[in-house]
Amino acid sequence: MPHIPLDPGLPGITGLLNYRQDTALPIRQLTQILLRGESTLTEGERELIATVVSQGNQCKFCTAAHAAAADAILGEKETSDKVRNDLDNAPVSAKMKHLLEIACRVQADARTVSPELVADAKAEGATDLEIHDTVLIAALFCLYNKYVDGLASVTPTDPAFYERLASILKTSGYLPSANRYATLNAN
């Protein structure tokens, strides 16, 4: 049960963003820039960063939501599953494995992002901007994870809910829109 009154039809971060729309707008704008804006990292790769950070923080809502978004964008489920459970054997590039390791380090203890880890990512082709954005996405999702769990937002257990949310995120991104979540709780 949430610690504050939230719209029961908007679980997870959706209800929190609806609760305080003045703070939601800059949060949504930053998320849109980082996860859907111009980047040499694909939208799927950026969703994978959000997924591994959320899993590391044990935020069930955000892990399920962003794994589903990655799956929807990538058109398959193996990659997000492997990235979460067996990164060494995940079907992503060596560069992406290093970036995901950087994201995991930011999540656990950002001070452990070493010059060697950054150099390894660069040796595999990571740019300064990709490293910057990886760290910022990881830090941002640490905030989101704590926001969702700190206010005890509702976490649905039905995978179909996350598939519907992923469809919204894939087609509409993160910016607010009229009737944005109209189909979220459809059966």
Side-chain angles (χ1 to χ4, degrees):
M1 177 145 197
H3 297 311
I4 60 174
L6 299 172
D7 182 333
L10 296 174
I13 200 166
T14 62
L16 297 171
L17 295 173
N18 187 61
Y19 178 81
R20 181 128 189 227
Q21 295 182 21
D22 60 333
T23 60
L25 182 59
I27 287 171
R28 288 179 181 277
Q29 290 170 329
L30 181 57
T31 309
Q32 181 70 19
I33 290 168
L34 290 172
L35 272 66
R36 295 294 182 272
E38 287 187 36
S39 178
T40 51
L41 296 175
T42 69
E43 291 179 2
E45 289 170 332
R46 291 176 276 169
E47 289 289 350
L48 292 173
I49 294 167
T51 301
V52 299
V53 169
S54 298
Q55 179 168 298
N57 284 324
Q58 300 176 14
C59 182
K60 291 179 181 178
F61 179 86
C62 294
T63 302
H66 294 283
D71 294 347
I73 291 166
L74 297 171
E76 46 88 2
K77 296 182 180 201
E78 177 189 5
T79 302
S80 71
D81 182 62
K82 285 277 194 178
V83 162
R84 284 178 290 158
N85 300 304
D86 185 14
L87 181 56
D88 290 339
N89 294 307
V92 295
S93 68
K95 174 181 86 171
M96 196 62 208
K97 287 179 184 179
H98 287 291
L99 292 174
L100 289 166
E101 177 61 28
I102 289 171
C104 290
R105 296 282 185 97
V106 170
Q107 176 274 315
D109 180 352
R111 295 167 296 184
T112 66
V113 177
S114 67
E116 295 80 16
L117 188 56
V118 171
D120 290 345
K122 286 183 175 186
E124 292 296 341
T127 65
D128 289 340
L129 185 58
E130 289 171 338
I131 292 165
H132 172 276
D133 288 358
T134 295
V135 170
L136 186 51
I137 292 166
L140 188 61
F141 273 85
C142 286
L143 176 141
Y144 294 158
N145 302 154
K146 292 172 188 333
Y147 187 34
V148 167
D149 289 341
L151 286 167
S153 186
V154 173
T155 299
T157 57
D158 181 9
F161 168 85
Y162 296 101
E163 290 171 10
R164 290 189 299 274
L165 179 58
S167 178
I168 293 167
L169 295 175
K170 179 182 176 184
T171 59
S172 301
Y174 289 90
L175 295 176
S177 59
N179 299 315
R180 178 173 180 78
Y181 298 117
T183 61
L184 193 58
N185 291 306
N187 290 326

